[in-house]
Amino acid sequence: MIRIGALISGSGSNLAAVIRACEEGQIDGQVVFAGADNAAAAGLDHARNAGIHTFIVDYKEIIAAYRQSPEKIELPRDYDPHDVASKVAFLADNTPYERIKEFLLTRAVAEARMLADMAAYPFDLLILAGFMRNLTPYFIDRVNIDKDRPRIMNIHPALLPSFPGVDGYGDTFQYGCKVGGCTVHFIDYGEDSGPIIGQRSFDILPDDTIETVKKKGLSLEWELYPACIQLFAENRLQVVRRAYKRQGGGTFERMVVEILPSA
Ligand code: GRF
């Protein structure tokens, strides 16, 4: 039985699907906490109704407090700004310095608070279920203690590596794609760029709208996420570094997930 922590921002339908899958025995595990970045996250009710511990770290409030008096920010004692800045891989190169500074410092405060809230509830796996904040290396490194065994999963509403970012289904539909889908992956220091665990796809037909595309996608998410979590529970996800030949010469490396056969 694995212990699962969850972070959400919104309606939490994936969280509800995971709680249900645990209750019905499709996942050998239990959800031990659900945290949110805002108090209005309706999905927290799914956790409360199931008697699961919840917490809120209000990111907006932390950012507003920093803007009002930046000198009063209290950074976590173990925060190393150079380490975090050298690893973070989702900030555009042309982002102004002050913006990066505000982003990283306020994230450090928010992430340290989440880590403190999570500390009382040890977990094997942390799932992001519609958590709309990029996590920085400060947080990731404190959860992924063993670098070869990542344990933060995310579900993304597109067939990665196409359409990373906040509006996967919208981007897929507006591009005129004939197939859409969802992806579960481990997170790394980039945006929606970590090793892929599983994907599901659906056809986009001429009479589909953005609403029907989202509906088709979400119903697949509710199957895919529990299935991937169960693979983790069965210890069947192995992250390996693979080397590939580049067309035109040279090689490159990528971390990929190998799914081990069931015991
Ligand atoms: C899902 O589409 C998920 O892929 C994306 O955010 C949405 C969250 O939906 N990351 P919900 O909060 O689980 O209902």
Side-chain angles (χ1 to χ4, degrees):
M1 291 290 277
I2 57 161
R3 294 169 58 89
I4 303 161
L7 297 178
I8 66 166
S9 296
S11 61
S13 67
N14 278 287
L15 171 64
V18 171
I19 293 172
R20 201 176 323 118
C22 289
E23 285 168 356
E24 291 175 358
Q26 284 133 23
I27 297 175
D28 297 322
Q30 61 174 131
V31 178
V32 293
F33 66 76
D37 66 336
N38 70 91
L44 287 177
D45 283 341
H46 297 301
R48 292 186 188 116
N49 293 339
I52 294 165
H53 172 75
T54 61
F55 65 83
I56 294 151
V57 173
D58 192 332
Y59 274 56
K60 269 195 188 148
E61 197 180 278
I62 292 167
I63 295 164
Y66 175 81
R67 289 192 179 151
Q68 203 163 17
S69 354
E71 72 291 347
K72 284 200 192 137
I73 191 159
E74 279 185 47
L75 291 170
R77 280 163 180 269
D78 60 352
Y79 185 66
D80 176 350
H82 302 291
D83 181 62
V84 172
S86 68
K87 288 173 176 168
V88 69
F90 52 75
L91 295 169
D93 287 344
N94 58 0
T95 314
Y97 172 76
E98 281 306 321
R99 176 80 194 84
I100 295 179
K101 188 174 160 195
E102 173 185 293
F103 177 84
L104 291 179
L105 296 186
T106 53
R107 283 299 150 106
V109 172
E111 291 177 352
R113 278 193 208 162
M114 289 205 295
L115 289 165
D117 281 323
M118 287 156 44
Y121 299 86
F123 59 91
D124 303 292
L125 174 69
L126 181 65
I127 61 164
L128 310 180
F131 186 64
M132 303 307 281
R133 307 277 178 175
N134 286 320
L135 294 165
T136 78
Y138 174 74
F139 182 93
I140 295 169
D141 287 353
R142 278 157 186 77
V143 174
N144 289 340
I145 316 284
D146 179 349
K147 297 270 174 288
D148 296 327
R149 294 174 65 89
R151 56 186 193 122
I152 310 176
M153 268 187 201
N154 181 41
I155 187 149
H156 181 76
L159 291 171
L160 292 172
S162 291
F163 310 119
V166 293
D167 189 19
Y169 293 133
D171 293 341
T172 302
F173 181 70
Q174 285 148 20
Y175 201 90
C177 292
K178 307 302 178 234
V179 171
C182 50
T183 303
V184 171
H185 62 99
F186 285 118
I187 70 157
D188 63 6
Y189 298 145
E191 182 170 39
D192 303 320
S193 54
I196 289 173
I197 299 164
Q199 296 182 302
R200 292 272 195 284
S201 64
F202 56 88
D203 288 338
I204 299 177
L205 304 171
D207 57 356
D208 267 318
T209 61
I210 180 62
E211 285 76 28
T212 61
V213 162
K214 281 189 180 156
K215 220 167 150 191
K216 286 182 181 181
L218 259 180
S219 60
L220 289 179
E221 291 185 34
W222 302 331
E223 295 170 15
L224 177 65
Y225 219 173
C228 292
I229 294 168
Q230 178 58 11
L231 289 174
F232 184 93
E234 291 172 13
N235 227 341
R236 290 173 58 197
L237 300 177
Q238 196 171 1
V239 180
V240 294
R241 186 179 295 276
R242 286 244 190 91
Y244 299 96
K245 283 205 180 87
R246 205 182 286 284
Q247 222 175 9
T251 58
F252 68 98
E253 285 192 342
R254 185 182 299 290
M255 301 293 280
V256 297
V257 173
E258 275 180 11
I259 299 178
L260 305 175
S262 60

